[in-house]
Amino acid sequence: MTSSLPPEQRSASAGTAAAGTPSGGAPGSASPEQVHSPRKVRVHHLRQAKERGEPLTMLTAYDAVTARIFDEAGIDILLVGDSIGDNMHAHATTIPVTVDDMIPAVRAVARTARRALVVADLPFGSYEASPAQCHASAVRMLKEAGAHAVKFEGGEHLAEHVRLLTRSGIPVVGHLGFTPQAENILGGKRVQGRGHEAADRLVADALALADAGAIAVVLEMVPGPVAARVTEVLPIPTIGIGAGPEVDGQVLVWTDMAGMSSWSPRFARRFGEVGAELAAATRAYASAVRDRSFPAAEHVYES
Ligand code: KIV
């Protein structure tokens, strides 16, 4: 494991890449050199990681190709986010995404991941109406697609949803702060939890989710000190995206992390320029086809 498995589950002989720690991270003493372990990440490891102050790493993945790369690099949690809508399906927001859109993506990631915990987002309209609706959608994610847990957006008013799923054997990750599915009512992509009242509300929401059985809470676009306060009072890990360093783990949309587009959000760091590299490879391929240098003799089958 990169950082969060207990020592007895770390394998010094695992031949795969040692993964880096997340940008920022929880207070604690995790070492970036910790050795990747092939063992599976399970829900209890998340809480153990928090107790040890070892930062959790989470990235979105929407297909088998990236899931394999991220899993082998030691990412602890693969989130099949409803951000598939704006990142892969060319929608402007996550709102049009359906459970049927999500299932094939979750299936590809869950079939591929050997070690990471696979979390599936419940898309807009698939869970809010009632705990029963939420349960039905979550069951599809586990039964038809192989997810290990689900995530949905919202606070205290969804505590009953979390309770029912948890009692039914479905681990739940909460999502507070800026919740993209509510962007119409929030007035766009805006930092949430600013000011005493809003910060208190965020803390109360996080505690309600934890009390109902949530295994972790994503905090999106929340002032650093507010995220730190939530992290301090919560018994379960907080995973930040635009929430500063004083959280228990970090998540990024992989295309932002890898530099796939010319723009990335202020809270994201581009850890590579994969988009530029892919464009260069594509141009080289097209040029080799056009000048007939590809395929060469070594690519041709003999009769
Ligand atoms: O769908 C998604 O990618 C997410 C992350 C922003 C946490 O929910």
Side-chain angles (χ1 to χ4, degrees), residues 60-70 78-80 84 88 104-110 112-113 254:
T60 63
Y62 314 106
D63 58 37
V65 175
T66 52
R68 184 181 57 74
I69 292 169
F70 302 155
L78 294 181
L79 170 66
V80 188
I84 194 172
M88 299 289 145
V106 177
R107 196 178 277 145
V109 172
T112 306
W254 85 259

Side-chain angles (χ1 to χ4, degrees), residues 60 62 79 81-83 121 151 175 218 220 241 251 253:
T60 63
Y62 314 106
L79 170 66
D82 60 351
S83 54
D121 250 344
K151 173 170 87 55
H175 187 154
V218 168
E220 180 164 356
I241 173 163
V251 55
V253 170

Side-chain angles (χ1 to χ4, degrees), residues 91-145:
H91 292 303
T93 68
T94 60
I95 288 171
V97 175
T98 64
V99 174
D100 286 337
D101 288 334
M102 294 290 297
I103 295 276
V106 177
R107 196 178 277 145
V109 172
R111 277 181 185 158
T112 306
R114 294 282 165 266
R115 176 184 164 278
L117 189 83
V118 176
V119 178
D121 250 344
L122 296 189
F124 180 66
S126 73
Y127 62 94
E128 304 90 329
S130 66
Q133 184 202 26
C134 186
H135 181 261
S137 301
V139 164
R140 289 195 64 192
M141 293 300 183
L142 270 70
K143 221 180 172 74
E144 294 178 38

